[in-house]
Amino acid sequence: MKNSTQLSDFILGAYFDGGTFRYLYFTIVMSLYVFIFGSNLLLIVVICVNRSLHEPMYMFLCSLFVNELYGSTGLFPFLLLQILSDVHTVSAPLCFLQVFSVYSYGSIEFLNLAVMSYDRYLAICCPLQYNELMTSNKVTKLIVAIWSPPLLVNFLTLPLIVPLKRCGNIINKVYCDNHSIVKLACSDTTLNNIYGLTVSALSVFGPLIVILYTYTRILKVCFSGSKQTRQKAVSTCTPHLASLLNFSFGACFEILQSRFNMNSSPNMLRIFLSLYFLTCPPIFNPLMYGLNLSKIRVTCKNLIAHIIC
């Protein structure tokens, strides 16, 4: 029988010795983080300071950009330290903190995208009643609903994983995740698995039902409406659909990788795909919305020109 213990740290086993290339990896990762932080922060400031952008769609976008900052900050500083380190260990409290930030980021992202699809549904399918249905009070409540449940649910995950007696401390990833820690446990983890599967199902299928329903109604209106209605739907829904598909791809692979044995896949591919949902949406979303939404694009240009001058 394996000896069980309450280990004080974890070893991240997916890292490899980068040798002289570690400084190149560090520079690339640092550049990505600077771009993510700068671009998302710029759009948050643009939306907050410009009164013409204080509309529901932009408020939900602002929430999305805040979440991109939150999720990337839960990963990149930690990743940068590990790249330069010779020993890839992380203390248990820091590992649990990263589990909380990574999983709550994913849940918030999906909920935010679901609320944005609901907002687009009201704007396209009920344009005359939109201002009555989407009041500032309702926007505030929806943003609270986006953030509060994921933070609470993922906080309640910690009492289930922190007390576990573990027979090992090697996590075969470049960051800490819940299921990898549970797999190290010597004790019964039935409750952890049931809770994890339930939370994952609700986090994915709840928002997915909202998204499928709203886009079904939007498509119905587009096919039966005028050319102007179709153009409006395409212009406002294309960035959202692109963001949704981008995040869903990364999240689905991460869930599959956590639940199934992927050791037969190349290590570099597994590392890239495990980091996809934490790195690509924060890079992709500010570019997508900043370039496609004319109000944001024009305001950004004016703000940058004002700063330069």
Side-chain angles (χ1 to χ4, degrees), residues 40-54 58-59 62-63 65-66 299:
N40 282 282
L41 184 61
L42 172 65
L43 293 179
I44 291 167
V45 171
V46 163
I47 292 171
C48 288
V49 302
N50 195 306
R51 294 183 66 86
S52 67
L53 297 179
H54 291 184
Y58 299 107
M59 292 294 102
C62 187
S63 173
F65 298 141
V66 170
T299 307

Coordinates of all heavy atoms in Angstrom, one line a residue, residues 40-54 58-59 62-63 65-66 299:
N40 N -6.1 44.3 -23.7 CA -7.3 44.2 -23.0 C -7.5 45.4 -22.1 O -8.6 45.9 -21.9 CB -7.3 42.9 -22.2 CG -7.6 41.6 -23.0 OD1 -8.8 41.4 -23.3 ND2 -6.6 40.9 -23.4
L41 N -6.4 45.8 -21.4 CA -6.6 47.0 -20.6 C -6.9 48.2 -21.4 O -7.8 49.0 -20.9 CB -5.2 47.3 -19.8 CG -5.2 48.4 -18.8 CD1 -6.2 48.1 -17.7 CD2 -3.8 48.6 -18.2
L42 N -6.4 48.4 -22.6 CA -6.7 49.5 -23.5 C -8.2 49.5 -23.8 O -8.9 50.6 -23.7 CB -5.9 49.4 -24.8 CG -6.3 50.4 -25.9 CD1 -6.0 51.9 -25.4 CD2 -5.6 50.1 -27.2
L43 N -8.8 48.4 -24.1 CA -10.2 48.3 -24.5 C -11.1 48.5 -23.2 O -12.2 49.1 -23.4 CB -10.5 47.0 -25.1 CG -9.9 46.8 -26.5 CD1 -10.2 45.4 -27.1 CD2 -10.3 47.9 -27.5
I44 N -10.7 48.1 -22.1 CA -11.4 48.3 -20.9 C -11.5 49.8 -20.6 O -12.6 50.4 -20.3 CB -10.8 47.6 -19.7 CG1 -11.0 46.1 -19.8 CG2 -11.4 48.0 -18.3 CD1 -10.1 45.2 -18.8
V45 N -10.3 50.5 -20.7 CA -10.3 51.9 -20.5 C -11.1 52.7 -21.5 O -11.9 53.6 -21.1 CB -8.8 52.4 -20.5 CG1 -8.7 54.0 -20.5 CG2 -8.0 51.9 -19.3
V46 N -11.0 52.3 -22.8 CA -11.8 52.9 -23.8 C -13.3 52.8 -23.5 O -14.0 53.8 -23.7 CB -11.4 52.3 -25.2 CG1 -12.5 52.6 -26.2 CG2 -10.1 52.7 -25.7
I47 N -13.8 51.7 -23.2 CA -15.2 51.5 -22.9 C -15.6 52.3 -21.7 O -16.7 52.9 -21.6 CB -15.5 50.0 -22.7 CG1 -15.3 49.3 -24.1 CG2 -16.9 49.8 -22.2 CD1 -15.4 47.8 -24.0
C48 N -14.8 52.3 -20.6 CA -15.2 52.9 -19.4 C -15.2 54.4 -19.5 O -16.1 55.1 -18.9 CB -14.2 52.5 -18.2 SG -14.4 50.8 -17.7
V49 N -14.2 55.0 -20.2 CA -14.1 56.5 -20.2 C -15.0 57.1 -21.3 O -15.3 58.3 -21.2 CB -12.7 57.0 -20.4 CG1 -11.8 56.4 -19.3 CG2 -12.1 56.6 -21.8
N50 N -15.4 56.3 -22.3 CA -16.2 56.9 -23.4 C -17.7 56.7 -23.1 O -18.2 55.5 -23.2 CB -15.8 56.3 -24.7 CG -16.3 57.1 -25.9 OD1 -17.5 57.3 -26.0 ND2 -15.4 57.4 -26.8
R51 N -18.4 57.7 -22.9 CA -19.9 57.6 -22.5 C -20.7 57.0 -23.7 O -21.7 56.4 -23.4 CB -20.4 59.0 -22.1 CG -19.8 59.5 -20.9 CD -20.5 60.9 -20.5 NE -21.9 60.7 -20.1 CZ -22.3 60.4 -18.9 NH1 -21.4 60.1 -17.9 NH2 -23.6 60.2 -18.7
S52 N -20.3 57.2 -24.9 CA -21.0 56.7 -26.0 C -21.0 55.1 -26.1 O -21.7 54.5 -26.8 CB -20.5 57.2 -27.4 OG -19.2 56.8 -27.6
L53 N -20.0 54.5 -25.4 CA -19.9 53.1 -25.3 C -20.5 52.5 -24.1 O -20.4 51.3 -23.8 CB -18.4 52.7 -25.4 CG -17.6 53.1 -26.6 CD1 -16.2 52.7 -26.5 CD2 -18.3 52.5 -27.9
H54 N -21.2 53.3 -23.3 CA -21.9 52.8 -22.1 C -23.3 52.2 -22.5 O -24.3 52.6 -22.0 CB -22.1 53.9 -21.1 CG -20.8 54.3 -20.5 ND1 -20.7 55.3 -19.5 CD2 -19.5 53.9 -20.7 CE1 -19.4 55.4 -19.2 NE2 -18.7 54.6 -19.9
Y58 N -21.4 46.8 -25.0 CA -20.0 47.1 -24.6 C -19.7 46.9 -23.2 O -18.6 46.6 -22.8 CB -19.8 48.6 -25.0 CG -19.9 48.9 -26.5 CD1 -21.0 49.6 -27.0 CD2 -19.0 48.4 -27.4 CE1 -21.2 49.8 -28.3 CE2 -19.1 48.6 -28.7 CZ -20.2 49.3 -29.2 OH -20.4 49.5 -30.6
M59 N -20.7 46.9 -22.3 CA -20.5 46.6 -20.9 C -20.2 45.1 -20.7 O -19.4 44.7 -20.0 CB -21.8 46.9 -20.1 CG -22.1 48.4 -20.0 SD -20.8 49.3 -19.0 CE -19.8 50.1 -20.3
C62 N -16.7 44.6 -21.9 CA -15.8 45.1 -20.9 C -15.6 44.0 -19.8 O -14.5 43.7 -19.4 CB -16.3 46.4 -20.2 SG -15.2 47.1 -19.0
S63 N -16.7 43.3 -19.5 CA -16.6 42.2 -18.5 C -15.8 41.1 -19.1 O -15.0 40.4 -18.4 CB -18.0 41.7 -18.2 OG -18.0 40.5 -17.5
F65 N -13.3 41.4 -21.3 CA -11.9 41.8 -21.3 C -11.3 41.7 -19.9 O -10.1 41.4 -19.7 CB -11.7 43.2 -21.9 CG -12.2 43.3 -23.3 CD1 -12.9 44.4 -23.8 CD2 -11.9 42.3 -24.2 CE1 -13.3 44.5 -25.1 CE2 -12.3 42.4 -25.6 CZ -13.0 43.5 -26.0
V66 N -12.1 42.1 -18.9 CA -11.6 42.0 -17.5 C -11.3 40.5 -17.2 O -10.3 40.2 -16.5 CB -12.7 42.5 -16.5 CG1 -12.3 42.2 -15.1 CG2 -12.8 44.0 -16.7
T299 N -12.7 54.9 -31.5 CA -12.3 55.5 -30.2 C -10.9 55.1 -29.8 O -10.2 56.0 -29.3 CB -13.3 54.9 -29.1 OG1 -14.6 55.2 -29.5 CG2 -13.0 55.6 -27.8

